[in-house]
Amino acid sequence: MINRSLFENTKTAFILKSDSALERAYFLFKMISSEPLVRIGTAATNFALKAHLPVEGLIRSTVFDHFCGGVNEDDCLSVIDNLYTEGVSSVLDYSVEGKAEEAQFDNALEKILKIINFCDEKEAMPIVVFKPTGFGRFYLYQKKSEGIDFNETERAEWNRIVERFDAVCKLAKAKDVEVLIDGEESWMQDAADDLVEEMMRRYNKDVPIVYNTLQLYRWDRFDYLKSLHQRAKEHGFKIGMKIVRGAYMEKERERASTKGYESPICENKKATDDNFDKTLEYIINNLKDISVFIGTHNELSCYLAMELMETYNISKQDNNVWFGQLYGMSDHISFNLAAEGYNVAKYIPFGPVKDVMPYLIRRAEENTSVAGQTSRELTLIKSEKKRRKL
């Protein structure tokens, strides 16, 4: 039987947090819980960085150190080693966003290749991750998704994107490191899906190395998975799939409304939750063909995954099932799952403070908009503080 109060164990959840780190976490989530404060803080931070005011030290010692592992790979080592003492693996996430030049794409490629080699030396790092737009311009993915022909220059540029994907997946295969490829906006995702599927056909013949991402706030993603499953069986390759609820909801709905097409987003949270859980069950039921990285901060979905694994007699250590949460969030899920023997990894963002700020701002805004997420964090931290006093 699954222990349905597992995630209430704050002693295990915050085992790595000192009293001062716990206080900082409480302060940060208290700030994030206020929408006006997040708006003001975001505007002030953006202004200060653009004006080159000396605020990086302050950012680094507060929000950055809570949600990020460091400014470079070596900087993250102490975090990675610390997490692994409690059985939690790490996925280094180079969280620099919004770049649009070939030199920057090549730099991102070199960074990911370096991380794969880094993973090969560290048992605590079995997985890497990148965003499709880290390797090429958003515009090209969008144009290809819309079925518009490239001109000669664009075709050469797209071929370089394919080469970057291939270089990462090829090295990952050689080093036995799994690659998670993030999902992005729906109007560029078809091109990314096709490219990731091509990589699966090349490198997932025996075991899944390449993982795509399903953003399950999109109502069409379950049907996409089923059709991909059919193609995988026909062509003899395995599917790797990270499942998440999604990260671009407001942007998706706004664009659909502006351009007058049907929103790709589920009508409400319940529909999204149902879509996520239905997809999770389908994957667990087809684990011989599909491996899954369950990227969620939703406790009910985690309990469901545990129950499904028990029902289908799947070992907690089966490498085809991983749970993942973001660093700095939902430690009550990550550490308690790891303590029970499940495969768990934390996404650890890293990069120069200034370049990672768009990521951090999105995290703050998401926490503010997700009802219950921040209050849950605060309740658990208060519980642990009280337990320690007693």
Side-chain angles (χ1 to χ4, degrees):
M1 284 288 290
I2 298 301
N3 173 11
R4 298 286 294 196
S5 61
L6 178 67
F7 301 140
E8 304 299 326
N9 184 339
T10 60
K11 182 181 179 182
T12 299
F14 300 115
I15 194 165
L16 295 181
K17 280 202 170 18
S18 64
D19 290 348
S20 61
L22 205 60
E23 288 293 345
R24 181 183 68 182
Y26 184 78
F27 168 76
L28 281 172
F29 283 114
K30 196 77 178 161
M31 296 282 285
I32 288 168
S33 68
S34 166
E35 196 173 333
L37 270 180
V38 169
R39 276 205 310 271
I40 293 164
T42 296
T45 302
N46 280 331
F47 171 78
L49 288 169
K50 282 174 185 167
H52 302 291
L53 299 177
V55 294
E56 286 198 14
L58 176 63
I59 294 167
R60 172 100 208 233
S61 64
T62 53
V63 64
F64 183 92
D65 277 357
H66 183 82
F67 291 110
C68 299
V71 296
N72 56 44
E73 304 93 318
D74 294 327
D75 210 15
C76 296
L77 275 174
S78 61
V79 170
I80 293 163
D81 291 341
N82 207 24
L83 290 173
Y84 204 56
T85 62
E86 299 304 321
V88 176
S89 297
S90 295
V91 181
L92 281 188
D93 183 8
Y94 184 53
S95 297
V96 173
E97 301 182 358
K99 304 300 184 185
E101 294 171 12
E102 288 294 295
Q104 292 166 330
F105 300 139
D106 286 336
N107 179 53
L109 169 62
E110 290 309 312
K111 185 71 71 176
I112 302 302
L113 294 175
K114 184 178 177 184
I115 293 171
I116 293 172
N117 284 312
F118 205 54
C119 290
D120 189 41
E121 298 162 14
K122 281 200 87 67
E123 190 182 358
M125 294 172 55
I127 304 165
V128 296
V129 62
F130 71 89
K131 288 177 72 165
T133 53
F135 284 178
R137 286 192 298 147
F138 186 101
Y139 168 77
L140 290 179
Y141 289 98
Q142 181 177 348
K143 193 169 182 180
K144 193 164 183 66
S145 294
E146 292 171 352
I148 301 169
D149 289 338
F150 289 147
N151 61 37
E152 197 172 328
T153 304
E154 290 167 341
R155 197 173 304 111
E157 201 177 331
W158 179 259
N159 288 340
R160 286 194 293 275
I161 293 174
V162 176
E163 285 165 9
R164 291 182 189 111
F165 269 70
D166 189 69
V168 166
C169 297
K170 189 174 188 176
L171 182 62
K173 176 73 173 175
K175 301 289 187 181
D176 195 26
V177 172
E178 288 160 9
V179 181
L180 307 179
I181 301 168
D182 280 340
E184 299 190 58
E185 290 89 342
S186 61
W187 56 98
M188 61 73 69
Q189 191 60 44
D190 285 354
D193 286 343
D194 290 346
L195 183 47
V196 178
E197 183 176 335
E198 186 181 327
M199 295 300 127
M200 285 186 193
R201 290 183 189 223
R202 290 182 194 178
Y203 298 108
N204 287 9
K205 289 293 186 189
D206 309 310
V207 294
I209 290 292
V210 181
Y211 283 63
N212 201 357
T213 297
L214 290 181
Q215 298 193 95
L216 291 160
Y217 63 2
R218 282 182 57 179
W219 49 261
D220 64 339
R221 295 284 81 187
F222 181 62
D223 286 338
Y224 165 76
L225 175 64
K226 288 195 292 185
S227 64
L228 176 63
H229 188 195
Q230 193 57 45
R231 291 193 296 278
K233 286 191 281 192
E234 287 168 8
H235 297 282
F237 65 91
K238 304 288 186 187
I239 296 171
M241 201 58 78
K242 180 176 78 164
I243 59 172
V244 299
R245 278 167 169 78
Y248 306 95
M249 186 168 68
E250 285 81 6
K251 192 192 285 190
E252 290 280 1
R253 283 185 170 147
E254 188 180 329
R255 186 177 191 270
S257 173
T258 302
K259 294 192 171 285
Y261 60 83
E262 183 184 6
S263 170
I265 303 301
C266 293
E267 59 180 342
N268 53 39
K269 185 177 185 304
K270 184 183 184 306
T272 297
D273 290 341
D274 290 347
N275 201 32
F276 186 96
D277 291 347
K278 175 175 68 174
T279 303
L280 173 61
E281 185 157 9
Y282 181 87
I283 292 173
I284 297 289
N285 198 24
N286 288 283
L287 215 56
K288 67 182 190 304
D289 301 323
I290 313 172
S291 296
V292 65
F293 185 97
I294 307 163
T296 185
H297 295 247
N298 185 292
E299 295 171 29
L300 294 178
S301 291
C302 290
Y303 283 130
L304 174 63
M306 293 157 72
E307 285 164 359
L308 288 168
M309 290 175 75
E310 191 174 80
T311 300
Y312 292 110
N313 199 27
I314 296 160
S315 163
K316 293 176 181 179
Q317 285 292 295
D318 191 317
N319 196 58
N320 292 303
V321 183
W322 279 78
F323 293 84
Q325 288 78 43
L326 297 167
Y327 183 65
M329 292 169 62
S330 297
D331 287 347
H332 64 296
I333 295 177
S334 308
F335 287 94
N336 281 305
L337 282 172
E340 288 290 308
Y342 293 94
N343 296 318
V344 182
K346 282 285 199 187
Y347 253 59
I348 303 184
F350 76 96
V353 175
K354 187 174 181 180
D355 289 339
V356 174
M357 280 315 297
Y359 167 86
L360 289 172
I361 287 165
R362 200 167 72 242
R363 281 287 84 82
E365 289 170 346
E366 279 175 16
N367 271 278
T368 305
S369 65
V370 176
Q373 174 75 50
T374 305
S375 62
R376 178 67 168 143
E377 298 276 2
L378 286 167
T379 300
L380 290 161
I381 293 169
K382 277 194 274 194
S383 255
E384 177 58 9
K385 283 167 69 177
K386 185 176 176 184
R387 188 197 69 80
R388 290 185 185 187
K389 277 180 188 168
L390 294 172

